[in-house]
Amino acid sequence: AAAVQASGMPVMIQQHADGQYGQAQALFDQGRIVAVHTSVLTGQGVGGSAAARLSVDHLLAKDAIARIGTHLGWHGGLTVDYIHQEGILQIIECNPRIV
């Protein structure tokens, strides 16, 4: 980060978030949610990717992705990565596709 800052380019640093990594994937039809699936990380792959996942029923994540897609009038796939702990959900990434 110091080398990038010295070059005058802006830098964004993400703070560590405690909790379990999860992912919500949904399909929308003009803002109407058609299907949604949530999963959590059970094993990491190369570079920390979520190589192994377990399907779960995370209502907070399902509600969050539904609100995002509805608000945007989204059509197609949408994926959010999140961290959750003790009933608190923090969305850390959003992709305009199923990943």
Side-chain angles (χ1 to χ4, degrees):
V4 175
Q5 283 180 321
S7 73
M9 296 184 67
V11 176
M12 182 175 82
I13 299 173
Q14 183 173 337
Q15 182 177 351
H16 174 78
D18 289 325
Q20 184 176 30
Y21 169 84
Q23 190 175 72
Q25 300 174 322
L27 182 62
F28 290 89
D29 179 12
Q30 306 298 332
R32 184 182 63 84
I33 194 163
V34 176
V36 63
H37 176 258
T38 54
S39 62
V40 293
L41 172 73
T42 59
Q44 288 188 342
V46 176
S49 66
R53 301 171 195 225
L54 176 67
S55 292
V56 294
D57 190 19
H58 281 172
L59 298 178
L60 285 175
K62 288 179 177 181
D63 180 59
I65 198 169
R67 285 186 287 127
I68 292 168
T70 299
H71 177 76
L72 295 173
W74 197 255
H75 188 74
L78 188 65
T79 300
V80 295
D81 295 350
Y82 61 91
I83 303 291
H84 70 97
Q85 182 178 33
E86 298 176 13
I88 297 172
L89 181 80
Q90 298 178 63
I91 294 176
I92 59 173
E93 183 176 359
C94 185
N95 290 291
R97 62 191 178 281
I98 302 293
V99 295

